[in-house]
């Protein structure tokens, strides 16, 4: 069983500041056409991030990518769905996910979007855990780097729970 840390790891205010910094950095460095957000974890981050971009013509698409069962360990196999009507041929894509852990999700997704005909794919994650990287991949835009640990809130879940919390918390082992 897990319990939440006593204090948030990142408060809603700290997250909003980071979202603002990231969006400005992205807008300055990458002229893209479409945001592809990964459900379900990035639904909060992607929607906050999107609202800072000055380009009004950016399109938004969400794809479902899931590798987690009910555990805090990745199953290593990625299921991709909701991508049937995704049209990104010749488009520059900003791929948005909540957290980069082993890197398998991002690696598979970049490959998938390139195969779908994207002209360019760059990625943005709110958080990254460097300690557990398995795939040789980096996100182009990263918010917070954390130690190994399991975090929830602001879209991130454990077995589907905790997503709606505005702050980010660490889950700790109860024993
Ligand atoms: P990766 O494929 O191992 O890089 O895992 C990326 C996916 O695993 C993310 O999209 C998250 O949904 C999930 N994930 C990884 N670490 C955490 C965590 O600490 N909390 C919640 N979800 C996580
Ligand atoms: Mg996810």
């Amino acid at each position: 069983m897990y319990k939440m840390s006593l204090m948030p790891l990142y408060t809603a205010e700290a997250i909003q500041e980071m979202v603002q910094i990231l969006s400005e950095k992205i807008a300055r460095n990458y002229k893209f056409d479409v945001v592809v957000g990964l459900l379900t974890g990035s639904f909060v981050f992607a929607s906050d991030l999107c609202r800072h971009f000055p380009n009004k013509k950016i399109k938004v698409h969400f794809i479902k990518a899931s590798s987690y069962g009910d555990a805090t360990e990745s199953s290593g196999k990625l299921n991709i769905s909701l991508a049937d009507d995704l049209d990104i041929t010749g488009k520059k894509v900003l791929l948005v996910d909540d957290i980069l852990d082993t890197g398998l999700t991002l690696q598979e997704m970049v490959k998938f979007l390139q195969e779908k005909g994207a002209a360019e794919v760059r990625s943005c994650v709110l958080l990254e855990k460097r300690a557990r990287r398995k795939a040789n991949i980096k996100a182009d835009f990263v918010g917070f780097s954390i130690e190994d640990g399991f975090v929830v809130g602001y879209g991130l879940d454990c077995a589907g729970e905790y997503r709606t919390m505005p702050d980010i918390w660490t889950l700790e082992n109860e024993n």
Side-chain angles (χ1 to χ4, degrees):
M1 287 301 285
Y2 299 95
K3 63 175 181 358
M4 275 165 60
S5 49
L6 291 176
M7 300 277 287
L9 182 61
Y10 300 111
T11 62
E13 290 74 22
I15 297 167
Q16 289 311 318
E17 265 177 46
M18 182 54 84
V19 169
Q20 173 92 39
I21 291 168
L22 269 177
S23 60
E24 284 168 9
K25 195 170 170 195
I26 294 166
R28 258 198 323 273
N29 291 287
Y30 186 39
K31 303 289 169 239
F32 58 95
D33 309 295
V34 53
V35 168
V36 173
L38 298 188
L39 294 173
T40 306
S42 83
F43 81 108
V44 182
F45 175 47
S47 62
D48 277 351
L49 192 70
C50 278
R51 282 177 283 176
H52 289 282
F53 294 133
N55 179 358
K56 311 275 181 298
K57 298 193 173 166
I58 289 169
K59 296 187 176 164
V60 179
H61 195 107
F62 281 95
I63 285 181
K64 189 157 178 70
S66 43
S67 67
Y68 274 78
D70 276 359
T72 54
E73 285 290 318
S74 173
S75 68
K77 260 186 70 189
L78 197 69
N79 288 313
I80 299 172
S81 53
L82 301 178
D84 289 349
D85 63 343
L86 178 70
D87 182 9
I88 50 167
T89 310
K91 298 276 189 279
K92 290 185 172 194
V93 175
L94 179 71
L95 175 61
V96 177
D97 203 5
D98 49 3
I99 187 164
L100 174 58
D101 184 13
T102 64
L104 295 172
T105 302
L106 213 59
Q107 188 178 50
E108 286 295 301
M109 285 309 308
V110 169
K111 208 169 95 196
F112 178 82
L113 295 171
Q114 283 166 343
E115 282 167 7
K116 278 260 178 192
E120 189 171 351
V121 182
R122 293 197 202 174
S123 55
C124 171
V125 294
L126 179 63
L127 298 123
E128 72 164 356
K129 284 188 246 179
R130 289 207 175 127
R132 289 167 26 110
R133 199 65 38 83
K134 284 184 190 152
N136 183 20
I137 191 161
K138 280 186 189 160
D140 297 288
F141 305 98
V142 178
F144 304 108
S145 281
I146 60 170
E147 295 301 314
D148 194 9
F150 202 80
V151 289
V152 294
Y154 195 71
L156 292 131
D157 75 308
C158 181
E161 298 176 352
Y162 307 106
R163 287 194 201 280
T164 55
M165 297 187 305
D167 309 304
I168 292 176
W169 301 74
T170 305
L171 277 196
E172 290 159 359
N173 242 319
E174 218 154 24
N175 36 30

